[in-house]
Amino acid sequence: MAEIPDSHPRKASLISRQRMVEASRRGLLAESAMIAHGRGEAFDYLLGERTTHSAALAIREAAGRLLKADNPVISMNGNSTVLAGEEAIKIAAILGCPIEVNIYYRTEERMSGLIGEFEALKERLANEEENMKPLISEVKILGAEADGRISGLEGPRSLCSAQGIERADVVLVPLEDGDRCEALTSLGKQVIAIDLNPLSRTSRMATVTIVDEVSRALGRLVSELSEKPITTDWDNALHLREALEIMSVSSLRIS
Amino acid sequence: MAEIPDSHPRKASLISRQRMVEASRRGLLAESAMIAHGRGEAFDYLLGERTTHSAALAIREAAGRLLKADNPVISMNGNSTVLAGEEAIKIAAILGCPIEVNIYYRTEERMSGLIGEFEALKERLANEEENMKPLISEVKILGAEADGRISGLEGPRSLCSAQGIERADVVLVPLEDGDRCEALTSLGKQVIAIDLNPLSRTSRMATVTIVDEVSRALGRLVSELSEKPITTDWDNALHLREALEIMSVSSLRIS
């Protein structure tokens, strides 16, 4: 990795980019993953590359709903694993819930690569966080078995894990595709999406949308969970409009 | 290439994406090129994936300034070649000016790949457009020689062609980096940039910024040139603000 000076104002964004390039070389990502990452970069740039107040409220709401869930699950794809795999493991450890690797362009090679990535991260994190070691070691990484189905979808995208997404009542899912988000909510599941595009179908279909960069959002969710927040009557459209307003205020940055 | 139905509302965007994926497989693009493309997709999405009135005015202004120039040049990188190489050749044929392949991460392999791409496009276009054949065949593709320098820059990015960018008074440059755009304007050259991000340093440093997708912008420029428009006192900041305002009106799309 090239060194990026600490003083660089966009250091976090550049580190994420390097992680993506490296993961792509290692075959962990679909061919269009880098394009999706770039789209996210643009929206994040307009957000000011920070967690907005509105997004912070969404993260708190997500924490409350995940804590209240009977069977929460964290669904992770290639990009979210590369960018925020560690944070996902910490959340799963706190909630005692599984992580399901679930990717849009499913290949055996990428599935086993990403599951291996999580197992390696678990081992490293268990050693780093002594007091959470037993909880981290117990986090199940699902996805390989593909013994469940998401009704309403066809083809490989309908595949999921019976012990994961299929039985879940609350699904935390960074960077989801719109069709799947819609199918999951049609099944009566709560979907907590993390998506930097407030106009995407996922953002509009989800129960709670966190308009934030995935590693910032999941990092903050880790600390919110310990606050044990209560849930509210969540007006998702209102929060999406707030995100768009913030993006449009970026225009003030031009003199 | 997978078939995309004509009815798909985002067909043009999806075709561009496929072109990028294929060019990447063929080694024509830098590793971060797909990320840059994704950023562009996001801004274009906010623009409504169309040439705005404000961008159309910028394209007309660009046409006027290119026609008036003594030594215009079109500087093309990997992404712009893949997305709008044909349109660049047509513009160069009309203006009787060279195209210079000039890339940020310069490698011999990519330089010769992109120059070869242009030579192949020239041959195909010359056969397709019978009446423009002599003009198209005469378009020089510069870049390999690297016998010029851009003062104010260091390292490989300072390299250019003596007969291209170095001697040019007006540089048409899609998808430029900010430092180079600044260096070119400091040398007294007019820079006509095509950039979907109205907040980028390139957008703010350029003489005329066309906030539009590169193939739409260059396609429209081809027809504008035949109108022989006159130049104006161009207020670039005003047009950048207009682009941002249009992007922020996207918020109305949320109900």
Side-chain angles (χ1 to χ4, degrees):
Chain A
M1 258 195 205
E3 267 311 312
I4 302 165
D6 282 335
S7 60
H8 196 292
R10 302 191 51 247
K11 183 173 169 121
S13 172
L14 296 178
I15 288 175
S16 290
R17 193 184 294 177
Q18 285 184 333
R19 279 193 182 182
M20 290 293 293
V21 168
E22 280 173 27
S24 178
R25 279 186 210 153
R26 288 166 57 214
L28 289 177
L29 301 175
E31 278 181 312
S32 57
M34 302 283 265
I35 294 180
H37 183 69
R39 281 198 302 277
E41 275 191 5
F43 286 111
D44 199 20
Y45 182 83
L46 290 176
L47 271 183
E49 293 173 350
R50 69 199 160 88
T51 300
T52 65
H53 177 66
S54 178
L57 291 178
I59 293 167
R60 179 168 302 166
E61 184 70 23
R65 289 177 187 237
L66 286 165
L67 288 165
K68 230 169 126 176
D70 292 321
N71 294 301
V73 68
I74 308 173
S75 173
M76 298 288 279
N77 67 4
N79 290 30
S80 55
T81 301
V82 170
L83 297 171
E86 279 191 31
E87 292 83 351
I89 291 170
K90 288 183 189 168
I91 294 165
I94 295 168
L95 294 170
C97 81
I99 288 173
E100 175 169 342
V101 175
N102 199 301
I103 57 182
Y104 191 92
Y105 298 104
R106 191 182 177 100
T107 68
E108 281 318 303
E109 189 202 355
R110 288 183 53 235
M111 283 301 291
S112 65
L114 291 168
I115 290 168
E117 194 73 5
F118 268 115
E119 295 296 354
L121 279 175
K122 266 176 64 179
E123 204 175 306
R124 183 159 65 72
L125 270 183
N127 290 325
E128 279 173 23
E129 317 253 339
E130 199 54 49
N131 57 338
M132 282 187 72
K133 190 167 182 163
L135 294 173
I136 287 172
S137 304
E138 271 169 32
V139 172
K140 284 208 185 79
I141 309 300
L142 306 173
E145 53 292 338
D147 52 358
R149 291 292 177 278
I150 302 170
S151 326
L153 292 181
E154 288 179 14
R157 278 195 301 164
S158 68
L159 296 177
C160 72
S161 171
Q163 292 303 306
I165 289 173
E166 191 175 76
R167 77 190 281 254
D169 55 343
V170 179
V171 184
L172 171 64
V173 55
L175 318 172
E176 180 55 300
D177 80 277
D179 284 345
R180 247 183 37 147
C181 184
E182 184 169 4
L184 293 173
T185 53
S186 304
L187 291 169
K189 299 178 193 297
Q190 291 188 51
V191 176
I192 298 168
I194 304 176
D195 193 328
L196 276 159
N197 177 1
L199 294 163
S200 76
R201 229 152 62 75
T202 294
S203 285
R204 289 181 284 174
M205 297 305 302
T207 319
V208 176
T209 305
I210 301 168
V211 182
D212 200 7
E213 192 275 326
V214 61
S215 68
R216 284 200 309 267
L218 292 188
R220 193 178 180 109
L221 184 52
V222 171
S223 23
E224 278 295 335
L225 286 168
S226 64
E227 306 282 331
K228 306 211 185 318
I230 53 163
T231 59
T232 67
D233 276 341
W234 181 255
D235 184 344
N236 206 46
L238 173 77
H239 285 82
L240 293 178
R241 278 193 297 270
E242 281 178 5
L244 275 160
E245 276 159 30
I246 289 160
M247 289 182 178
S248 64
V249 169
S250 294
S251 63
L252 297 176
R253 280 193 267 159
I254 291 208
S255 55
Chain B
M1 259 195 204
E3 268 310 314
I4 302 165
D6 282 336
S7 60
H8 196 293
R10 302 191 50 246
K11 183 173 170 121
S13 172
L14 296 178
I15 288 175
S16 291
R17 192 184 296 175
Q18 285 185 335
R19 279 192 183 184
M20 290 293 294
V21 168
E22 281 173 25
S24 178
R25 278 186 210 154
R26 289 166 55 213
L28 291 177
L29 302 175
E31 278 181 313
S32 56
M34 302 281 266
I35 294 180
H37 183 70
R39 281 198 303 277
E41 276 191 4
F43 287 112
D44 199 19
Y45 182 82
L46 290 175
L47 271 183
E49 293 173 350
R50 69 201 160 87
T51 301
T52 65
H53 176 66
S54 178
L57 291 178
I59 293 167
R60 179 167 303 167
E61 184 69 23
R65 289 177 187 238
L66 286 165
L67 288 165
K68 230 168 126 176
D70 292 321
N71 294 302
V73 68
I74 308 173
S75 174
M76 298 287 279
N77 68 2
N79 290 30
S80 55
T81 301
V82 170
L83 296 172
E86 279 191 32
E87 290 84 351
I89 291 170
K90 288 183 192 170
I91 294 165
I94 295 168
L95 294 170
C97 81
I99 288 173
E100 175 168 343
V101 175
N102 199 300
I103 57 183
Y104 192 92
Y105 299 105
R106 192 181 176 100
T107 68
E108 282 317 303
E109 189 202 354
R110 288 183 53 234
M111 282 301 291
S112 65
L114 291 169
I115 290 167
E117 195 73 5
F118 269 115
E119 295 296 354
L121 278 175
K122 265 176 65 179
E123 204 176 306
R124 184 158 65 72
L125 270 183
N127 289 326
E128 279 173 23
E129 318 252 338
E130 200 54 49
N131 58 337
M132 283 187 72
K133 192 166 184 165
L135 295 173
I136 287 172
S137 304
E138 271 168 32
V139 172
K140 285 208 184 79
I141 309 299
L142 306 174
E145 54 292 338
D147 52 358
R149 290 292 176 277
I150 302 170
S151 327
L153 292 181
E154 288 179 13
R157 277 195 301 166
S158 70
L159 296 177
C160 71
S161 171
Q163 292 305 306
I165 290 173
E166 192 176 77
R167 77 189 281 255
D169 54 344
V170 179
V171 184
L172 171 63
V173 55
L175 318 171
E176 180 55 299
D177 79 278
D179 283 347
R180 247 182 38 146
C181 184
E182 185 169 3
L184 293 173
T185 53
S186 304
L187 291 170
K189 299 178 193 296
Q190 293 187 51
V191 177
I192 298 168
I194 304 176
D195 193 329
L196 277 158
N197 177 2
L199 294 162
S200 77
R201 228 152 62 76
T202 294
S203 286
R204 289 180 285 174
M205 297 305 301
T207 319
V208 176
T209 305
I210 301 168
V211 181
D212 200 7
E213 191 278 326
V214 61
S215 67
R216 284 199 310 266
L218 292 189
R220 194 178 179 109
L221 184 51
V222 172
S223 23
E224 278 295 335
L225 286 169
S226 63
E227 307 282 330
K228 305 209 186 318
I230 52 164
T231 60
T232 68
D233 276 341
W234 182 254
D235 184 344
N236 206 46
L238 173 78
H239 285 81
L240 293 178
R241 278 194 297 271
E242 282 180 4
L244 274 160
E245 276 159 31
I246 289 160
M247 290 182 179
S248 65
V249 169
S250 295
S251 62
L252 298 176
R253 281 192 266 159
I254 290 209
S255 55

